[in-house]
Amino acid sequence: MEAKIGTTRVILISGDITEQETDAIVNAANPGLMGGGGVDGAIHSKGGPDILKECRIIRQTLWPDGLPTGEAVATTGGRLKAKKVIHTVGPIWSGGNKGEPDLLAQAYRSSLTLALRMGLRTISFPSISTGAYAYPIEKASRVAIKTVIGFTERNAGIEEVRFVLHSYNDLQVYEKALAEYMI
Ligand code: ADP
C-alpha cells in the first residue's frame, strides 16, 4: 500500500528491515545502545561490529546514561545495504497514561529530523515499541502513521518513508491505520 503526501511517498510493506536499501533504516533500540533482541538484534547481527563500535562511542561522548526515550542517534549501516542506521528508543507500554503516545511520536519525529539533517532522503521504519515494549499495535500504528504524515507535510526533503512490518498481520494493521487516516 502506498500514499503520496506532497513530494513524499509513504509505503507499507511486510518484510525484513535489515534487507532494505533505503538511505537509512531505523532501529527500535533500547537506551543502552548495546544491542538486544528483536529488530535490534537482527540489525547488529547482519550489520556487523562497526555499528556497535559507533554505539559505544555515542554512549561515551553524547549519552553516558543511555539514550533517552524519544531521542535518536545515527551510526554507519556497516554491512547493511542501508548507509545509516538511526537508533531510537520507543516507550515501554504501561497502560497508556504514562505519556506513551507522545513518546512514541517523538521517536518517529526525532528519527525523521535526524535523517533530514543528514541529507538522507529515504528511510525505513519498523513498528517501534510493538515487540518487547508491548505497545498495542493498533494504537501504535495510528500514532506512527499520523506522526510520519504530519512531519512530511511540514518538512520537505524526505522522498520515501517505508514501514517494514515483520508479519502480514502487522502489515494489515498498518494498512488499516493509513486507510483511516487518509479518509
Ligand atoms: P521494541 O522493544 O521497540 O518493542 P522489538 O524489536 O521487540 O522492539 O519489536 C518491534 C517490532 O519489530 C515488532 O513488531 C517486531 O515484530 C519487529 N521486528 C523484529 N525483527 C524485525 C525485522 N528483522 N524487520 C522488521 N521488523 C522486525
Side-chain angles (χ1 to χ4, degrees), residues 128-145:
I128 298 169
S129 284
T130 64
Y133 281 5
Y135 204 123
I137 191 165
E138 281 79 10
K139 290 185 170 61
S141 63
R142 290 196 287 265
V143 173
I145 294 289

Side-chain angles (χ1 to χ4, degrees), residues 15-18 28 37-40 42 126-134 164 166 170:
D16 181 347
I17 200 163
T18 65
V39 71
D40 197 3
S127 178
I128 298 169
S129 284
T130 64
Y133 281 5
V164 183
H166 206 38
D170 288 1

Side-chain angles (χ1 to χ4, degrees), residues 44-136:
H44 281 285
S45 85
K46 199 170 285 185
D50 287 353
I51 299 176
L52 195 58
K53 212 182 285 172
E54 289 189 19
C55 283
R56 278 212 185 84
I57 294 168
I58 289 166
R59 280 296 305 275
Q60 284 159 5
T61 55
L62 286 175
W63 298 105
D65 299 326
L67 186 65
T69 304
E71 293 278 350
V73 294
T75 65
T76 175
R79 295 200 281 258
L80 297 168
K81 292 174 193 159
K83 288 195 275 285
K84 297 285 178 185
V85 175
I86 293 178
H87 306 261
T88 190
V89 180
I92 297 172
W93 180 258
S94 43
N97 295 318
K98 298 271 155 56
E100 293 96 328
D102 280 348
L103 290 166
L104 185 60
Q106 268 179 47
Y108 282 98
R109 271 196 300 270
S110 301
S111 301
L112 290 165
T113 301
L114 186 54
L116 263 188
R117 223 165 56 216
M118 295 175 74
L120 305 169
R121 303 203 158 268
T122 58
I123 183 168
S124 296
F125 281 100
S127 178
I128 298 169
S129 284
T130 64
Y133 281 5
Y135 204 123

